[in-house]
């Protein structure tokens, strides 16, 4: 079945620096790739998503890139702030459905 | 604001009892909803797909008789953990697709503690 790998598992950056999280997926039929931010004790919050007909998408300090040939996608956060500290999950859709398979998560810490 | 709401946010129940968790889509209809389970410091694992008006479909390894799912209306799905045991203690989260592009939104999650 579909498998999603996510790296790194932890990431520490200084405030103002950029952070990059990378994911690879196995199902070439996946066509929806959302990213979620999860704070302690809360449900995942959608921060950005991208579909297979688009190579890049940007929303203020957040951007996502998708390489369908290589089957990997990345989250880029620029000008990081302490409030960006959280666990970030990537996900990929299962062929023809709205089911999502999640990566293992990245704990991002932004130090002031 | 939230587009998917869960209730209760936290629940404690005794071993052997059943507990129901509700998932509601706010201001939109969802013929399909999804239930996930998350253990501390781990990722989300899909448990089942809730289908309005028909039976839920369960992922491999998930006991359908233990985790009863009912999708009685276009805005409500319920997950009932039957005969709960301490190992069922976990964070349960639902999701629903919204809009023409089927963007997936998650609820706030429900913490279940079985004592």
């Amino acid at each position: 079945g579909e498998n999603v790998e996510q790296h790194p598992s932890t990431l520490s950056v200084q405030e103002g620096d950029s952070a990059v999280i990378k994911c690879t997926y196995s199902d070439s039929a996946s066509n929806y790739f959302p990213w979620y931010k999860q704070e302690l004790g809360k449900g995942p919050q959608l921060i950005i998503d991208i579909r297979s007909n688009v190579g890049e998408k940007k929303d203020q300090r957040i951007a996502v890139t998708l390489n369908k040939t290589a089957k990997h996608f990345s989250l880029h956060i620029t000008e990081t702030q302490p409030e960006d500290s959280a666990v970030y999950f990537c996900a990929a859709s299962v062929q023809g459905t709205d089911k999502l398979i999640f990566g293992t998560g990245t704990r991002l810490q932004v130090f002031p | 604001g939230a587009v998917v709401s869960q209730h209760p946010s936290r629940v404690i129940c005794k071993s052997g009892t059943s507990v129901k968790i509700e998932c509601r889509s706010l201001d939109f209809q969802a013929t399909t909803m999804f239930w996930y389970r998350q253990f501390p410091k781990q990722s989300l694992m899909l448990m089942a797909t809730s289908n309005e008006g028909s039976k839920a479909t369960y992922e491999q390894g998930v006991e359908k008789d233990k985790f009863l799912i009912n999708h009685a209306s276009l805005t409500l799905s319920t997950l009932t953990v039957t005969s709960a045991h301490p190992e069922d203690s976990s964070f349960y989260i639902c999701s629903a697709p919204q809009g023409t592009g089927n963007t997936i939104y998650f609820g706030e999650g429900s913490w279940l503690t079985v004592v």
Side-chain angles (χ1 to χ4, degrees), chain A residues 32 34 36 38 40-46 49 51 89 97-105 107, chain B residues 10 34 36 38 41-44 46 49 59 91 93 97 101-109 111:
Chain A
Y32 177 59
Y36 294 90
Q38 188 176 32
L40 191 62
K42 298 184 179 180
Q45 176 190 2
L46 179 69
D49 58 7
R51 298 187 186 273
F89 289 98
T97 76
D98 289 320
K99 293 197 285 188
L100 295 177
I101 302 300
F102 280 79
T104 48
R107 183 172 299 276
Chain B
R10 291 182 179 273
F34 302 91
Y36 292 80
Q38 185 179 33
K41 297 186 178 181
Q42 293 190 21
S43 188
L44 287 77
L46 179 64
T49 302
E59 296 300 304
F91 192 46
I93 322 170
N102 284 359
T103 300
I104 309 297
Y105 292 96
F106 281 81
E108 310 96 326
W111 284 100

Side-chain angles (χ1 to χ4, degrees), chain A residues 11 13-19 21 37-39 47 61-62 75 77-88 106-111:
Chain A
L11 180 58
V13 300
Q14 204 73 32
E15 181 177 4
D17 288 349
S18 295
I21 303 171
K37 175 183 180 182
Q38 188 176 32
E39 296 178 339
I47 56 172
R61 297 186 297 109
I62 297 172
L75 177 71
I77 305 174
T78 59
E79 301 173 35
T80 54
Q81 301 166 3
E83 50 266 38
D84 293 331
S85 298
V87 178
Y88 290 81
T106 296
R107 183 172 299 276
L108 173 64
Q109 287 187 301
V110 181
F111 292 97

Side-chain angles (χ1 to χ4, degrees), chain A residues 22-92:
Chain A
K22 298 182 178 181
C23 288
T24 59
Y25 60 98
S26 60
D27 185 358
S28 57
S30 293
N31 60 5
Y32 177 59
F33 307 91
W35 285 88
Y36 294 90
K37 175 183 180 182
Q38 188 176 32
E39 296 178 339
L40 191 62
K42 298 184 179 180
Q45 176 190 2
L46 179 69
I47 56 172
I48 197 167
D49 58 7
I50 193 167
R51 298 187 186 273
S52 58
N53 58 346
V54 176
E56 183 174 356
K57 185 177 178 180
K58 188 173 182 180
D59 183 4
Q60 299 181 11
R61 297 186 297 109
I62 297 172
V64 57
T65 59
L66 171 64
N67 184 327
K68 283 224 73 180
T69 303
K71 291 191 283 188
H72 65 69
F73 56 114
S74 301
L75 177 71
H76 304 252
I77 305 174
T78 59
E79 301 173 35
T80 54
Q81 301 166 3
E83 50 266 38
D84 293 331
S85 298
V87 178
Y88 290 81
F89 289 98
C90 65

Side-chain angles (χ1 to χ4, degrees), chain B residues 28-97:
Chain B
F28 72 99
Q29 295 180 339
T31 57
T32 305
M33 292 183 179
F34 302 91
W35 286 97
Y36 292 80
R37 182 176 183 176
Q38 185 179 33
F39 290 107
K41 297 186 178 181
Q42 293 190 21
S43 188
L44 287 77
M45 297 299 295
L46 179 64
M47 298 175 65
T49 302
S50 175
N51 303 297
E52 190 270 334
S54 64
K55 291 182 178 180
T57 53
Y58 291 81
E59 296 300 304
Q60 191 173 7
V62 178
E63 299 176 58
K64 63 179 182 180
D65 294 330
K66 181 165 187 60
F67 298 100
L68 299 180
I69 292 173
N70 184 21
H71 198 141
S73 77
L74 287 170
T75 59
L76 174 64
S77 174
T78 60
L79 169 68
T80 301
V81 183
T82 63
S83 186
H85 291 282
E87 55 264 32
D88 298 325
S89 299
S90 187
F91 192 46
Y92 293 87
I93 322 170
C94 68
S95 72

